[in-house]
Amino acid sequence: KAGVTQTPRYLIKTRGQQVTLSCSPISGHRSVSWYQQTPGQGLQFLFEYFSETQRNKGNFPGRFSGRQFSNSRSEMNVSTLELGDSALYLCASSTQGVEAFFGQGTRLTVV
Amino acid sequence: KQEVTQIPAALSVPEGENLVLNCSFTDSAIYNLQWFRQDPGKGLTSLLLIQSSQREQTSGRLNASLDKSSGRSTLYIAASQPGDSATYLCAVTSSGYSTLTFGKGTMLLVSP
């Protein structure tokens, strides 16, 4: 059974640009959540999608957005990148409220 | 607002020791608690999931307990090995949602 797949694994972007990250959940999982991990703040929740609907949202500015497609694949977008957006972005998939499985993450560096 | 605390922040032990990692949470209305392992620069690997109605779960050399009323969980690692070196993260889920609230983790180093 394939795990959670995140692409790309690494990204380098310039301040002011925008970026799109992709997450393919485990087959059959309808919930996809996104997290940002930084050395100072640890793991912080960005948003959760369930059956193409955003069900929960963390405390991040509107520059961070996401969506989920009918096949449960999800994308997150960050516009007008700032240096502080440099982080490891992790995606998790689960069946509702049960065990969460994470991808390997996308390492975003903003220069 | 749920807050999760992990103690200690870092731990260094010689190979073969048994050890305990601690996790506490402020709101006892949780749906489940999950322990993860993270190797440097990598994603999270799920180790154990404890549903709110359960008291403990075991997998190989790992045993996790949950005391919901006191807001505490422990992860017991028996006969530690150098390959156990990693950061261990505790996370809780509130009722009905998949959103995880994480602690800052315990960085474990097991020396040969």
Side-chain angles (χ1 to χ4, degrees):
Chain A
K1 192 174 186 181
V4 180
T5 303
Q6 291 189 245
T7 56
R9 290 292 311 280
Y10 303 94
L11 268 176
I12 300 176
K13 290 287 188 179
T14 304
R15 275 180 301 174
Q17 287 187 314
Q18 74 165 20
V19 66
T20 299
L21 312 181
S22 178
C23 172
S24 293
I26 292 171
S27 178
H29 286 190
R30 295 162 65 189
S31 172
V32 174
S33 299
W34 289 89
Y35 296 84
Q36 181 196 66
Q37 186 176 33
T38 59
Q41 298 298 318
L43 274 149
Q44 294 186 286
F45 169 72
L46 282 156
F47 26 67
E48 182 207 356
Y49 287 88
F50 183 83
S51 295
E52 301 180 65
T53 300
Q54 187 180 88
R55 190 161 67 169
N56 202 3
K57 189 177 189 306
N59 189 26
F60 277 81
R63 300 185 297 107
F64 291 80
S65 63
R67 59 178 174 169
Q68 187 179 32
F69 302 95
S70 59
N71 61 357
S72 293
R73 189 177 72 84
S74 177
E75 290 181 347
M76 68 163 280
N77 184 276
V78 187
S79 63
T80 318
L81 283 165
E82 301 177 358
L83 295 178
D85 297 333
S86 295
L88 181 65
Y89 290 87
L90 292 162
C91 163
S93 81
S94 68
T95 51
Q96 186 169 344
V98 193
E99 190 171 7
F101 296 90
F102 280 78
Q104 288 298 298
T106 294
R107 170 72 64 184
L108 172 65
T109 302
V110 182
V111 298
Chain B
K1 178 190 170 188
Q2 179 75 268
E3 292 183 1
V4 179
T5 303
Q6 291 187 246
I7 295 173
L11 182 62
S12 182
V13 300
E15 182 177 6
E17 272 204 10
N18 302 324
L19 57 100
V20 175
L21 307 182
N22 297 292
C23 171
S24 61
F25 45 94
T26 54
D27 185 351
S28 62
I30 65 168
Y31 193 70
N32 61 41
L33 183 145
Q34 203 166 347
W35 283 93
F36 295 91
R37 167 191 173 133
Q38 186 176 32
D39 294 289
K42 304 287 188 178
L44 277 61
T45 300
S46 178
L47 296 174
L48 289 165
L49 170 75
I50 310 178
Q51 302 278 15
S52 61
S53 58
Q54 298 174 318
R55 297 284 292 184
E56 66 177 322
Q57 282 286 342
T58 298
S59 176
R61 296 183 293 109
L62 305 179
N63 176 276
S65 68
L66 174 63
D67 184 343
K68 219 173 88 162
S69 61
S70 68
R72 292 180 182 179
S73 176
T74 61
L75 178 66
Y76 175 82
I77 302 177
S80 58
Q81 302 171 358
D84 295 331
S85 298
T87 296
Y88 290 80
L89 293 150
C90 164
V92 298
T93 305
S94 298
S95 297
Y97 288 92
S98 301
T99 304
L100 291 160
T101 302
F102 283 88
K104 291 290 179 68
T106 294
M107 187 181 301
L108 173 65
L109 176 64
V110 182
S111 306

